[in-house]
Amino acid sequence: MQRQIDGVVLRGEVVPAEGDLPAPDVPREYLTPEAVALIYHGVAENTRTAYRRAWGQFESWCEQYSFTVLPCGELTLANYVAHLVVADLAPATIDQAIACILSRHELAHQPKPNTKAARYALRGYKRRLLDDGWRQRKAPPILTEQLHAMVAALPRTVAGMRDQFLLVVGWWMMARRSELVALNDVDLRFVKEGLEVYVASSKTDQEARGMVCPLPYGQWADACPVRVTQQWLDVLTSRGTRAAVLRGVDRNGHFRDRLTAQSIDLRVKAAAKAAGLDNPGSYSAHSLRAGGASAAAAAGRSMLAIARHGRWVETSPVVHGYVRAADMWRDNPMRGLGV
């Protein structure tokens, strides 16, 4: 009997997966179906999807203007960046397109184009946007007061209890949405000090070594990750359901499949709206991650401790930004001048 993962048949004839695999050093015809599937899943799904889309758009553009796709030249890349600028794409999207093109050259064992001209073009675009008053859009952080308001606004239903777990544990973990949806019951371990959450893999753990995120008891019961987790696991157990911790819930309170990363965003937005927060549509799953880090920074926790807890690289400029935002008020040189 054949088993299939994303277009790859694990028994029988090899069927290429949608999109290119990371190119191995041996021809694909010498790979077993299991090897093809494992190589394919060695890259995060979100990365595969984004890069597949970006590469398809670059190929279409090259075909339209008769440019060579592989290997492409420095001027081709610069012209493509200019094309994306004219299309009014966000700088981050253009930066991702450049990364995708470089990655595809590497995987195809082709010389990478020089990116100097393309980077200058992107820099010029960013400066123009800044001159026009543009600011990079970021999901606002959910701080402690907002977290309490969102939890208090949840209905006392099965879906509401699930969302309480999602909000509280996501905030205390400084979790990425991909880490939340991947949680299984075996990843949650209660200890004397609180709760240990095993994160099997994350953006900064590409080798999937796994790491434990320790969550202490909170002062407020409804926002305590330990008590909220125990409460939610009791609900899952009472209904004969464990394994995937975050599941869809229908209107009758019946469990469905594991939540998707996109559904985490929707649940956060809905909770922000129910709590009456300003511009609730601007909140996302990242607001939980940013909120936990911002609260820790405001409490004077070190950048290194925050980075380790939230699974950032230790030199992350993102974490530095959270600490700097807290420090500019805590250590404000103009505070208390009596003027």
Side-chain angles (χ1 to χ4, degrees):
M1 183 176 181
Q2 292 184 335
R3 293 183 292 124
Q4 184 169 327
I5 299 180
D6 291 345
V8 180
V9 176
L10 299 184
R11 292 286 182 268
E13 182 182 358
V14 175
V15 178
E18 182 182 355
D20 289 348
L21 304 181
D25 292 329
V26 295
R28 184 183 295 188
E29 57 264 28
Y30 294 108
L31 292 172
T32 65
E34 286 81 1
V36 172
L38 289 170
I39 291 171
Y40 180 67
H41 286 280
V43 178
E45 181 180 356
N46 289 343
T47 302
R48 289 198 308 263
T49 301
Y51 274 31
R52 186 183 305 129
R53 183 187 307 112
W55 181 250
Q57 292 169 345
F58 178 64
E59 282 187 312
S60 298
W61 178 83
C62 286
E63 181 179 353
Q64 180 180 356
Y65 294 100
S66 300
F67 286 113
T68 301
V69 180
L70 271 173
C72 83
E74 176 183 7
L75 299 182
T76 297
L77 185 60
N79 284 327
Y80 185 59
V81 168
H83 163 74
L84 298 180
V85 168
V86 172
D88 201 28
L89 297 186
T93 302
I94 298 175
D95 200 45
Q96 184 183 67
I98 295 174
C100 166
I101 293 168
L102 296 178
S103 174
R104 188 58 65 101
H105 277 70
E106 180 180 3
L107 296 178
H109 303 291
Q110 295 289 340
K112 296 180 183 179
N114 189 312
T115 62
K116 188 173 183 179
R119 294 294 183 190
Y120 271 117
L122 180 56
R123 188 184 305 172
Y125 178 44
K126 290 179 179 178
R127 286 178 174 171
R128 184 201 303 174
L129 290 174
L130 290 174
D131 289 342
D132 291 339
W134 174 83
R135 293 292 183 272
Q136 185 175 359
R137 290 178 297 175
K138 295 181 179 180
I142 294 172
L143 302 179
T144 53
E145 181 179 346
Q146 295 161 321
L147 177 66
H148 289 176
M150 292 168 73
V151 170
L154 293 174
R156 301 311 297 173
T157 61
V158 174
M161 295 172 71
R162 176 208 58 198
D163 289 352
Q164 182 181 12
F165 171 86
L166 181 160
L167 293 171
V168 172
V169 173
W171 191 89
W172 282 83
M173 279 182 65
M174 305 178 195
R176 296 178 176 89
R177 61 182 191 173
S178 59
E179 296 169 350
L180 280 175
V181 297
L183 286 178
N184 293 316
D185 59 335
V186 294
D187 299 324
L188 306 172
R189 178 171 175 261
F190 296 98
V191 295
K192 180 179 66 174
E193 296 81 3
L195 174 69
E196 293 182 349
V197 182
Y198 179 71
V199 182
S201 65
S202 67
K203 188 176 180 180
T204 53
D205 180 27
Q206 293 297 317
E207 299 302 318
R209 297 184 180 92
M211 58 191 74
V212 173
C213 181
L215 306 183
Y217 284 91
Q219 295 182 2
W220 190 47
D222 285 347
C224 168
V226 185
R227 284 170 280 194
V228 166
T229 296
Q230 186 61 72
Q231 173 182 279
W232 179 237
L233 290 181
D234 288 344
V235 172
L236 292 174
T237 301
S238 69
R239 293 168 179 249
T241 303
R242 292 295 287 264
V245 177
L246 286 173
R247 295 173 172 270
V249 180
D250 66 20
R251 65 181 62 186
N252 296 316
H254 299 143
F255 287 114
R256 299 303 184 194
D257 295 334
R258 186 188 297 267
L259 289 183
T260 65
Q262 291 76 17
S263 61
I264 299 292
D265 283 331
L266 295 177
R267 300 319 310 152
V268 172
K269 293 179 190 298
K273 183 178 180 179
L277 302 187
D278 293 336
N279 195 14
S282 65
Y283 290 87
S284 69
H286 188 73
S287 298
L288 296 171
R289 181 167 169 78
S294 297
R301 304 301 186 262
S302 72
M303 188 171 81
L304 179 59
I306 296 171
R308 288 177 175 173
H309 186 84
R311 298 159 303 287
W312 280 283
V313 295
E314 294 181 359
T315 57
S316 170
V318 176
V319 179
H320 182 73
Y322 295 137
V323 175
R324 186 172 61 245
D327 286 348
M328 71 179 183
W329 288 109
R330 184 174 56 240
D331 301 328
N332 193 310
M334 307 305 289
R335 183 188 297 276
L337 295 184
V339 177

